[in-house]
C-alpha cells in the first residue's frame, strides 16, 4: 500500500498567538550622511558607467561584521539612511567605541584609490562632517509577523521579517540544548548571517553542530587520517502562492571540512568557520555564534578577504587573533580538534576541491529526527503545516515501452527459460518503438554519428548499446572496426569510429595548468583543431549530426587541474563543425572489475539515450486523464540561457528560449528570441554556441523587455491551439516578475511589467503552470511517516519516500497549488532509509546503520502552481498532467527533476558557449567553415561554481 500522506518541514503561524513582538537594538545611518558618502564613493570613477541609481555598498563591511561581530545582523547590501531604515540589528546594544571603529573602517574603504590625494582630502572632510562618534543604538519593538497581502492574495511579509524572524528562531534552536540520538550529542551554534538584502533567497539563518564530527575509519596497518563534518540546520521565511499566511521552512544537511592542504579556486572565496575564545576585536563582546571569515586567492597569493596591510581586518585589529594564512592553507585541520592559540576553526570543503571521504546529504529517517528536534523551538508561535494528501489522480502515464519482467529469486529452470524468452520479446518490441520514433524524428534521413573514442572497449559498448536499443542485430550490413552500418526498413544507422587522440589531452603544458591569456589561447587552439578534424570527417561522412566522445569526467580535472579540462573546447569545436555532442567516461579502473563493467554498461546506455534526445527524438509521456486534458495540446517551456563574462568562453550571454512539444510534430522543437520560426531541437542547441544576443543586454530592464516580447510573440503564434505554458520559477521570474509569488493572480497573466490581464485576452486555449523546486529551500524538505502505517514502529521516527501528486489540506486556499514528488533514485540500491551520518543508529534488524561515507539523497518537493486555467478546468487534473510529464520511464531510468519540456529546455544550458561573431558559423548551413585560432580578446575561463557558503554550495550537500 502506498503512503497516503507526507509531512513537510513547513510551519505556519498559530492564529491564536497573534503578533510576534521582539525587542531589538538598531543602528541607523543619519540622513545627512548620504550626500557626502556619495561624493566619497563616486570619486575617481568614470562618468557614464552607471545604470540606475548610484548606491553606496556595504557588502565588505557586512562581511567584516560577519567575521568579527557575529551577533550583529546586517540587513542591507547598500547603505540606507534615516531612522526609518536601520542598517544593523542586535539583541543587545553593541559597544559604542567598537561601532565607531567599524564605521570609520568602512569610510576609509569607500574611495576607489585610497592613496589619491584628493580622495584623502574628501575622506578627511567626511570625518569632520559626519562625526562617526555620534552613532548610537536605539531600542525598537518589531513585529516578526508583520505583513500585507499581494493583489493575488499571497502573504507579503515586510522586508525585515525575512532577515530577523529566521535569526530569532535559529537563536531559540541553539538555546534549547543538545540534539541526542544513539548515545551521541550534537551541540548547535548559530552561524553568523550573510550580509545582504531582505529577500527570501538570501536571508535564511543557519545553525551548525560544533565541534565538528570526527570520522576515523579503521585501516590496515593502523588508523587512517580522520575526516571532519558537521550537521547544519537552516531556517527561512517563505510564502506559498495565493496563501495569506507565511511559512517557516526548516532544512537539514551536512557540511564537510578540509583536512590537509586547501586548494584555492581562482577568484572565489573559501569559507572558514571559527569560534574564538575571545573576541577578535578588542573590547567587543564574546559571542557564542560561529563567525565566518573568507579566504581568497588573487594575483598569485592567498589572503583573508578583508586582510592585507590595508585591509579592513587589519584596521579593526582582528588579524592578530587569526592564524597565519600561509600555514592555514597547508594544514587546515590543525585548528579543528582542540583548537590552537585560543581559536577553533574549520575550512569548508567545496565540490571543486575533489572527492571528500564523507558522503553528501542525509537519508529521510535521520533528516526527520533532526528536524523534529529543532521544530520544538518554534512553538508556540508556529505549528506544523497540515500534511499533504495523495491526489485522487494517482495513476502514472501510459508507457509506450513495455516494462521488462523481473526475475524471481527462486524460479525453476523452466520458469527462467520462459522469463528469458519473454524478456527477449519485450526488448524486441521496445526496440521497434524506439526505431519508429527515431525514424519519424529524422524524417527519412539516416542517423549518422561519430564514436570519438579513447579505448576500444568503450567504443564497442556504445556500438552494442546502439544495436540493442534499436533492435538492429538482424539488419547489420557492416561491422567495424571503423564503420558499422545497419539498414532496417524504416531507418538506416551509420556509426563511424575515430580515435580521440591528442584532441582529448589536458589543456596547457603537462607540468602546470594554463592561466589567463595562456588558458584563453589553449581553448582557442583546441577548439580550432577539433573543428578542423570534425569538418574533415564530415566531408568524408556526409550527414553526420552527432559525436559521442569518450573523455575523462570532471573527477579527473579536480582542483587546479580544472583549467585543463578540454570538454568545453571539444564541444565548441564540434558545434563549429555542425555536430551536437554527448560525452561518456572511460571504464573506471578504480572499481571492482564486475562493478566497473556494470557501471560502464549503464553509462553507455545513458550516453546513447542522451545522444538520441539531442537529435530531437522524443517519447512524451501519455497521460491517463482522458478528456480532462484537451487533445492536440502543445507544451511550451520558457527558459533563460545565461552565461556571465567569467564563463567558459569569456563572453556574456542572455538568450530567452522556448522548447515546444507539439503533438503533431515527431521532433522536439525550439526557438530563441532572435528567430522567427520553430527549428529542430539539435539546431537550437548548436546555435547557442554561436551568434547569440547577450552582450548588448546589460540591464535587467533590457533583458526583461526582450523576454516579455519573446513570450508575447510565442504565445501569439500558438493562439489557435490548446497550449500549456510551463515556466520554472527560479529561472524565469527574475526577468518575468509576474511569476513571483507576490506577482501571481489567479487566471490573470502579466507581461511588460504592467497590470495583469485576464487570461481570456490571450485566447480560450491557454493555460500557465509555474514550477518551483527546492532551490534556496523555496519548497520544504519532506518525508513519509512509516509509523502511520505500522503501529509497531511508533516512536522510532522513521521516514520514507513516496512518489506521487500531493494536495495541501489548507482551509480557504483556492486549490491552485499542488506538489509532486519522486521515489528513491535507482542509483541508491545499497542505501536504506535508516542510514545515518550524524550519530550512531541501529536499524530494526539490530545492525548498525551508521554510514558517514555514502552519498544520501532526498527527492525534492516540486511545487506546481496552476496560475492560469480556462473556465471548467479541473486544477487537480492539470496538476496531475504536469506531474506525469516527469515520469518518463520510457526514456529515463528515474523520474525527472522537472517536467519533460522544462527538462529539455534546461539541458540547453550545456550549449551556452557564446563566442565572437567573427568566429561564429551557422551550424544549420551546408559546408562548415573552420575557425582559425587567433589572439582574440577577453578572458576565457571555466564557469565553475565554487562558492561554498550555505546560501549556495551547501544546497548541493542537503
Amino acid at each position: 500500500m502506498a503512503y497516503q500522506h507526507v509531512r513537510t518541514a513547513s510551519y505556519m503561524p498559530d492564529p491564536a498567538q497573534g503578533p510576534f513582538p521582539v525587542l531589538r537594538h538598531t543602528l541607523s545611518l543619519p540622513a545627512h550622511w548620504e550626500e557626502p558618502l556619495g561624493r566619497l564613493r563616486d570619486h575617481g570613477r568614470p562618468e557614464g558607467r552607471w545604470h540606475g541609481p548610484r548606491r553606496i555598498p556595504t557588502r565588505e563591511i557586512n562581511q567584516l561584521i560577519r567575521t568579527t561581530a557575529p551577533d550583529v545582523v546586517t540587513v542591507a547590501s547598500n547603505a540606507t539612511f534615516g531612522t526609518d531604515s536601520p542598517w544593523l540589528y542586535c539583541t543587545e546594544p553593541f559597544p559604542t567605541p567598537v561601532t565607531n571603529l567599524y564605521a570609520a573602517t568602512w569610510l576609509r574603504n569607500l574611495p576607489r584609490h585610497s592613496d589619491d590625494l584628493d580622495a584623502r582630502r574628501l575622506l578627511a572632510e567626511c570625518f569632520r562632517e559626519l562625526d562617526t562618534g555620534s552613532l548610537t543604538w536605539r531600542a525598537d519593538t518589531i513585529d516578526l509577523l508583520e505583513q500585507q497581502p499581494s493583489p493575488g492574495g499571497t502573504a507579503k511579509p515586510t522586508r525585515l521579517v525575512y532577515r530577523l524572524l529566521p535569526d530569532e528562531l535559529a537563536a531559540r534552536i541553539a538555546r534549547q540544548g543538545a540534539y541526542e540520538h544513539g548515545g551521541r550529542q550534537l551541540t548547535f551554534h548559530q552561524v553568523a548571517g550573510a550580509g545582504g538584502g531582505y529577500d527570501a533567497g538570501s536571508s535564511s539563518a543557519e545553525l551548525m553542530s560544533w565541534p565538528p564530527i570526527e570520522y576515523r575509519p579503521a585501516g590496515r596497518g593502523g588508523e587512517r587520517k580522520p575526516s571532519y563534518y558537521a550537521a547544519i540546520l537552516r531556517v527561512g521565511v517563505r510564502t506559498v502562492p495565493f496563501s495569506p499566511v507565511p511559512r517557516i521552512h526548516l532544512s537539514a544537511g551536512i557540511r564537510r571540512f578540509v583536512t590537509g592542504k586547501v586548494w584555492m579556486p581562482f577568484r572565489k572565496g573559501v569559507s572558514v568557520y571559527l569560534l574564538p575564545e575571545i573576541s577578535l576585536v578588542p573590547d567587543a563582546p564574546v559571542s557564542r555564534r560561529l563567525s565566518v571569515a573568507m579566504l581568497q586567492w588573487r594575483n598569485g597569493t592567498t589572503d583573508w578577504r578583508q586582510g592585507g596591510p590595508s585591509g579592513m581586518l587589519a584596521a579593526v585589529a582582528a588579524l592578530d587573533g587569526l592564524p597565519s594564512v600561509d600555514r592555514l592553507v597547508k594544514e587546515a585541520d590543525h585548528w579543528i580538534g582542540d583548537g590552537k592559540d585560543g581559536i577553533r576553526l574549520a575550512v569548508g570543503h567545496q565540490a571543486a576541491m575533489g572527492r571528500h571521504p564523507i558522503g553528501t546529504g542525509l537519508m529521510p529517517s535521520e533528516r526527520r529526527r533532526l528536524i523534529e528536534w529543532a521544530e520544538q523551538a518554534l512553538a508556540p508561535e508556529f505549528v506544523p503545516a497540515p500534511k499533504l494528501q495523495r491526489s485522487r489522480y494517482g495513476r502514472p502515464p501510459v508507457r509506450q515501452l513495455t516494462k521488462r519482467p523481473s526475475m524471481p529469486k527462486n524460479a525453476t529452470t523452466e520458469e527462467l527459460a520462459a522469463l528469458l524468452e519473454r524478456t527477449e520479446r519485450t526488448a524486441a518490441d521496445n526496440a521497434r518503438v524506439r526505431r519508429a520514433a527515431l525514424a519519424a524524428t529524422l524524417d527519412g534521413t539516416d542517423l549518422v554519428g561519430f564514436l570519438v573514442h579513447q579505448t576500444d572497449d568503450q567504443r564497442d559498448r556504445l556500438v552494442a548499446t546502439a544495436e540493442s536499443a534499436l533492435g538492429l542485430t538482424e539488419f547489420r550490413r557492416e561491422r567495424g572496426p571503423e564503420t558499422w552500418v545497419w539498414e532496417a526498413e524504416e531507418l538506416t544507422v551509420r556509426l563511424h569510429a575515430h580515435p580521440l587522440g591528442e584532441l582529448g589531452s589536458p589543456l596547457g603544458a603537462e607540468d602546470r595548468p594554463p592561466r589567463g591569456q595562456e588558458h584563453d589561447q589553449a581553448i582557442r587552439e583546441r577548439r580550432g583543431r577539433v573543428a578542423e578534424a570534425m569538418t574533415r570527417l564530415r566531408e568524408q561522412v556526409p550527414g553526420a549530426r552527432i559525436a559521442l566522445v569518450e573523455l575523462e569526467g570532471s573527477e579527473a580535472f579536480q582542483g587546479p587541474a580544472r583549467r585543463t579540462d578540454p570538454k568545453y573546447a571539444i564541444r565548441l569545436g564540434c558545434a563549429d563543425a555542425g555536430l551536437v555532442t554527448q560525452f561518456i567516461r572511460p571504464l573506471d579502473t578504480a572499481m571492482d572489475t564486475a562493478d566497473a563493467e556494470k557501471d560502464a554498461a549503464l553509462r553507455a546506455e545513458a550516453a546513447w539515450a542522451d545522444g538520441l534526445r539531442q537529435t530531437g527524438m522524443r517519447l512524451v509521456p501519455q497521460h491517463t486523464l482522458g478528456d480532462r486534458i484537451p487533445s492536440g495540446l502543445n507544451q511550451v517551456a520558457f527558459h533563460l540561457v545565461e552565461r556571465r563574462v567569467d564563463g567558459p568562453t569569456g563572453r556574456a550571454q542572455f538568450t530567452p528560449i522556448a522548447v515546444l512539444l507539439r503533438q503533431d510534430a515527431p521532433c522536439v522543437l525550439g526557438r530563441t528570441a532572435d528567430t522567427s520560426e520553430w527549428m529542430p531541437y539539435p539546431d537550437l542547441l548548436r546555435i547557442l554556441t554561436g551568434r547569440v544576443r547577450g552582450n548588448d543586454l546589460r540591464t535587467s530592464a533590457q533583458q526583461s523587455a526582450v523576454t516579455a516580447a519573446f513570450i508575447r510573440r510565442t504565445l501569439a503564434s500558438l493562439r489557435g491551439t490548446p497550449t500549456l505554458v510551463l515556466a520554472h520559477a527560479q529561472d524565469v521570474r527574475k526577468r518575468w516578475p509576474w511569476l513571483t509569488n507576490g506577482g501571481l493572480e489567479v487566471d490573470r497573466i502579466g507581461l511588460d511589467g504592467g497590470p495583469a490581464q485576464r487570461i481570456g485576452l490571450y485566447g480560450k486555449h491557454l493555460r500557465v503552470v509555474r514550477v518551483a523546486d527546492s532551490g534556496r529551500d523555496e519548497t520544504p524538505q519532506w518525508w513519509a511517516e512509516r509509523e502511520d502505517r505500522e503501529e509497531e514502529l511508533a516512536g522510532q521516527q522513521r521516514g520514507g519516500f513516496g512518489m506521487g501528486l500531493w494536495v495541501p489540506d489548507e482551509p480557504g486556499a483556492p486549490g491552485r497549488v499542488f506538489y509532486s514528488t519522486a521515489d528513491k533514485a535507482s542509483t541508491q540500491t545499497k542505501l536504506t532509509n535508516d542510514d545515518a551520518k550524524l550519530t550512531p543508529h541501529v536499524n530494526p534488524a539490530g545492525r548498525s546503520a551508521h554510514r558517514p561515507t555514502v552519498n544520501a539523497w532526498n527527492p525534492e518537493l516540486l511545487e506546481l502552481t496552476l496560475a492560469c486555467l480556462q473556465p471548467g478546468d479541473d486544477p487537480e487534473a492539470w496538476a496531475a498532467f504536469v506531474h506525469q510529464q516527469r515520469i518518463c520511464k520510457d526514456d529515463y531510468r528515474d523520474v525527472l527533476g522537472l517536467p519533460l519540456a522544462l527538462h529539455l529546455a534546461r539541458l540547453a544550458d550545456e550549449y551556452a558557449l557564446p563566442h565572437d561573431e567573427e568566429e561564429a558559423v551557422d551550424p544549420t548551413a551546408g559546408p562548415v567553415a573552420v575557425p582559425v585560432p587567433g589572439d582574440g580578446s577577453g578572458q576565457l575561463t571555466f564557469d565553475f561554481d565554487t562558492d561554498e557558503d550555505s546560501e549556495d554550495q551547501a544546497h548541493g550537500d542537503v
Side-chain angles (χ1 to χ4, degrees):
M1 178 180 177
Y3 296 108
Q4 295 306 304
H5 63 262
V6 298
R7 259 234 37 207
T8 63
S10 178
Y11 306 85
M12 304 169 67
D14 184 348
Q17 296 298 316
F20 189 175
V22 296
L23 179 66
R24 289 290 182 271
H25 294 270
T26 66
L27 182 73
S28 303
L29 298 176
H32 71 273
W33 281 33
E34 184 169 9
E35 195 278 332
L37 286 185
R39 281 190 279 113
L40 186 64
R41 174 72 175 87
D42 292 349
H43 177 72
R45 297 179 183 273
E47 296 293 332
R49 295 282 301 276
W50 296 86
H51 300 283
R54 298 191 179 190
R55 298 181 174 91
I56 302 170
T58 59
R59 182 175 61 88
E60 291 188 352
I61 186 65
N62 288 347
Q63 176 60 46
L64 177 67
I65 291 173
R66 191 185 189 203
T67 302
T68 60
D71 289 324
V72 178
V73 179
T74 61
V75 297
S77 299
N78 297 289
T80 57
F81 300 91
T83 57
D84 293 334
S85 302
W87 168 33
L88 304 179
Y89 288 77
C90 199
T91 55
E92 299 292 338
F94 214 64
T96 299
V98 181
T99 302
N100 297 336
L101 175 63
Y102 283 127
T105 301
W106 176 47
L107 295 185
R108 292 190 183 96
N109 194 62
L110 282 179
R112 188 177 187 184
H113 302 290
S114 57
D115 294 335
D116 180 79
L117 292 179
D118 289 336
R120 290 183 179 181
R121 177 182 54 77
L122 279 174
L123 182 60
E125 291 177 358
C126 272
F127 276 112
R128 288 193 299 269
E129 188 174 349
L130 302 183
D131 184 17
T132 59
S134 64
L135 292 175
T136 58
W137 294 78
R138 71 173 189 177
D140 282 335
T141 299
I142 302 164
D143 180 10
L144 296 183
L145 289 178
E146 184 179 356
Q147 66 172 57
Q148 60 184 2
S150 74
T154 301
K156 290 186 65 176
T158 58
R159 298 176 70 197
L160 275 179
V161 170
Y162 281 110
R163 177 67 68 183
L164 298 183
L165 179 53
D167 183 79
E168 167 67 17
L169 297 178
R172 284 189 180 185
I173 296 172
R175 290 195 299 265
Q176 74 173 356
Y179 166 79
E180 184 172 359
H181 182 79
R184 176 182 289 173
Q185 289 188 342
L186 297 179
T187 301
F188 280 84
H189 291 254
Q190 194 168 351
V191 179
Y198 305 85
D199 62 280
S202 62
S203 57
S204 294
E206 185 177 276
L207 301 103
M208 187 164 70
S209 64
W210 193 265
I213 304 167
E214 179 181 307
Y215 177 71
R216 190 187 295 267
R220 296 179 180 177
E223 292 188 336
R224 296 179 180 177
K225 188 174 183 179
S227 302
Y228 297 93
Y229 62 106
I232 59 171
L233 286 164
R234 287 194 300 275
V235 188
V237 175
R238 302 293 182 262
T239 61
V240 175
F242 313 131
S243 173
V245 294
R247 305 292 200 277
I248 294 296
H249 287 179
L250 291 180
S251 59
I254 69 164
R255 173 166 288 122
R256 302 170 296 175
F257 300 113
V258 176
T259 56
K261 188 176 181 179
V262 180
W263 175 73
M264 296 298 302
F266 180 62
R267 291 185 177 177
K268 300 288 185 180
V270 174
S271 296
V272 181
Y273 301 87
L274 48 106
L275 191 65
E277 295 177 359
I278 62 174
S279 174
L280 293 176
V281 177
D283 300 323
V286 179
S287 176
R288 288 282 296 164
R289 297 189 182 190
L290 286 159
S291 299
V292 184
M294 299 294 292
L295 292 172
Q296 68 176 7
W297 185 90
R298 189 180 296 271
N299 299 326
T301 61
T302 301
D303 204 347
W304 297 106
R305 181 162 280 180
Q306 278 80 40
S310 60
M312 300 174 80
L313 280 171
V316 297
L319 282 178
D320 294 339
L322 293 173
S324 161
V325 171
D326 291 340
R327 185 177 180 188
L328 178 60
V329 298
K330 292 178 181 177
E331 43 183 335
D333 50 338
H334 182 71
W335 289 265
I336 288 182
D338 297 328
K340 296 291 186 297
D341 305 319
I343 191 171
R344 296 183 69 165
L345 60 80
V347 180
H349 174 81
Q350 301 178 6
M353 295 177 178
R355 184 183 178 276
H356 196 282
I358 303 300
T360 59
L362 299 175
M363 290 300 282
S365 293
E366 184 168 46
R367 186 186 302 272
R368 177 190 174 186
R369 287 193 297 270
L370 183 55
I371 286 177
E372 289 188 343
W373 168 81
E375 73 181 17
Q376 300 173 67
L378 276 55
E381 288 84 4
F382 293 90
V383 296
K387 296 177 181 178
L388 302 178
Q389 309 297 320
R390 186 174 289 278
S391 169
R392 65 182 185 272
Y393 298 118
R395 294 178 58 193
V398 176
R399 294 187 65 140
Q400 300 176 63
L401 303 181
T402 304
K403 186 177 180 180
R404 294 188 180 187
S406 58
M407 295 290 181
K409 293 183 180 179
N410 300 319
T412 65
T413 303
E414 293 78 8
E415 290 172 336
L416 284 176
L419 282 172
L420 288 173
E421 183 181 352
R422 182 180 164 194
T423 299
E424 291 177 0
R425 289 199 306 270
T426 299
D429 293 339
N430 290 342
R432 280 191 290 271
V433 174
R434 292 194 193 94
R435 206 162 58 235
L438 181 58
T441 298
L442 300 178
D443 194 23
T445 61
D446 299 346
L447 175 64
V448 183
F450 297 130
L451 304 180
V452 188
H453 62 95
Q454 290 182 309
T455 59
D456 291 348
D457 61 336
Q458 202 68 303
R459 174 203 64 190
D460 294 342
R461 285 189 191 91
L462 285 170
V463 171
T465 297
E467 188 172 79
S468 173
L470 296 175
L472 298 173
T473 304
E474 62 181 294
F475 306 110
R476 188 189 303 133
R477 297 294 177 265
E478 190 170 349
R479 180 178 182 175
E482 295 181 351
T483 301
W484 289 259
V485 178
W486 300 268
E487 295 179 356
E489 180 179 356
E490 67 274 54
L491 176 68
T492 295
V493 177
R494 303 175 185 274
L495 296 179
H496 300 264
H498 297 273
L500 177 61
E502 292 185 357
L503 295 179
S505 62
L507 299 177
E510 295 182 359
D511 56 340
R512 61 183 177 86
R515 299 173 183 267
Q517 294 183 357
E518 181 186 0
H519 182 244
D520 303 347
Q521 183 65 20
I523 290 181
R524 281 194 295 269
E525 290 179 355
R526 183 65 54 83
R527 172 186 164 192
R529 290 168 56 196
V530 171
E532 184 178 8
M534 293 299 106
T535 300
R536 285 199 304 266
L537 292 179
R538 289 197 73 195
E539 291 173 350
Q540 300 169 16
V541 185
R545 61 182 72 219
I546 184 170
L548 290 96
V549 182
E550 182 184 1
L551 183 70
E552 296 288 349
S554 58
E555 298 84 357
F557 302 98
Q558 296 287 352
R562 291 178 75 88
R563 294 191 301 276
T564 69
D565 190 345
K567 180 177 180 180
Y568 283 120
I570 292 173
R571 175 160 275 163
L572 271 171
C574 287
D576 290 339
L579 298 167
V580 294
T581 46
Q582 178 61 42
F583 292 90
I584 182 173
R585 299 197 309 272
L587 182 75
D588 190 345
T589 56
M591 297 176 65
D592 174 79
T593 302
D595 289 341
E597 289 289 345
K598 183 178 179 181
D599 175 70
L602 290 175
R603 286 191 281 108
E605 291 178 8
W608 178 252
D610 287 339
L612 292 185
R613 280 189 284 273
Q614 291 193 40
T615 69
M617 175 185 165
R618 60 174 207 172
L619 289 174
V620 179
Q622 303 299 301
H623 69 83
T624 59
L625 300 161
D627 58 5
R628 297 179 183 87
I629 306 299
S631 60
L633 179 69
N634 294 319
Q635 295 184 60
V636 179
F638 289 106
H639 177 66
L640 303 181
V641 175
E642 296 178 279
R643 286 286 189 191
R644 302 187 310 179
V645 292
D646 59 352
T649 62
R651 304 289 183 269
Q653 179 171 347
F654 177 84
T655 310
I657 69 169
V659 166
L660 173 63
L661 301 181
R662 190 158 60 193
Q663 200 167 59
D664 60 352
C667 179
V668 177
L669 302 174
R671 67 190 300 180
T672 74
D674 295 330
T675 58
S676 58
E677 301 292 339
W678 294 101
M679 68 185 74
Y681 184 65
D683 290 348
L684 170 69
L685 298 180
R686 288 194 296 264
I687 68 169
L688 289 174
T689 67
R691 196 174 294 117
V692 294
R693 299 189 68 168
N695 288 328
D696 57 334
L697 300 175
R698 298 184 180 275
T699 69
S700 60
Q702 291 172 327
Q703 294 175 359
S704 297
V706 168
T707 301
F710 174 56
I711 294 170
R712 193 183 297 278
R713 288 197 309 271
T714 303
L715 296 184
S717 69
L718 300 168
R719 184 181 179 93
T721 54
T723 299
L724 172 64
V725 169
L726 296 164
H728 184 207
Q730 285 97 328
D731 166 42
V732 181
R733 69 183 173 203
K734 58 182 173 285
R735 296 298 176 258
W736 191 3
W738 170 73
L739 288 172
T740 61
N741 287 5
L744 290 172
E745 298 181 50
V746 173
D747 296 338
R748 301 180 72 86
I749 186 171
L751 288 168
D752 300 324
Q757 299 175 308
R758 290 182 296 105
I759 191 64
L761 297 177
Y762 290 83
K764 299 180 179 180
H765 304 285
L766 180 64
R767 283 93 174 171
V768 182
V769 175
R770 193 199 74 166
V771 180
D773 59 28
S774 61
R776 293 182 179 264
D777 296 329
E778 184 156 337
T779 62
Q781 294 182 348
W782 64 279
W783 59 86
E785 296 177 339
R786 293 194 60 183
E787 56 265 36
D788 287 353
R789 295 175 54 202
E790 304 174 47
E791 293 183 3
E792 65 271 17
L793 299 179
Q796 295 187 26
Q797 290 180 296
R798 299 186 69 195
F801 301 109
M803 184 176 74
L805 179 71
W806 307 93
V807 183
D809 185 17
E810 184 180 340
R816 291 298 188 93
V817 178
F818 302 86
Y819 294 93
S820 170
T821 60
D823 209 339
K824 185 177 178 180
S826 61
T827 56
Q828 289 189 303
T829 56
K830 297 183 180 180
L831 287 176
T832 73
N833 296 345
D834 289 319
D835 287 340
K837 279 193 173 74
L838 306 177
T839 61
H841 181 72
V842 177
N843 63 25
R847 301 187 184 93
S848 172
H850 188 228
R851 304 177 65 189
T853 60
V854 300
N855 288 324
W857 175 83
N858 264 65
E860 61 186 342
L861 193 69
L862 212 62
E863 183 183 83
L864 311 178
T865 300
L866 285 299
C868 295
L869 297 176
Q870 295 295 329
D873 283 347
D874 180 353
E876 191 172 341
W878 279 94
F881 174 83
V882 176
H883 169 69
Q884 289 186 1
Q885 293 302 301
R886 300 181 63 195
I887 308 174
C888 301
K889 293 297 185 71
D890 292 330
D891 259 348
Y892 295 86
R893 296 176 62 192
D894 293 314
V895 174
L896 298 179
L898 293 172
L900 179 59
L902 281 173
H903 173 77
L904 294 172
R906 187 165 62 176
L907 289 179
D909 287 342
E910 297 178 3
Y911 282 82
L913 300 168
H915 50 77
D916 289 341
E917 291 194 2
E918 62 266 23
E919 295 179 346
V921 296
D922 182 2
T924 63
V928 180
V930 180
V932 178
D935 294 334
S937 61
Q939 185 172 2
L940 298 174
T941 58
F942 287 179
D943 185 20
F944 294 124
D945 178 13
T946 54
D947 290 339
E948 185 276 340
D949 283 351
S950 61
E951 293 81 10
D952 299 306
Q953 179 63 29
H955 286 285
D957 273 4
V958 169

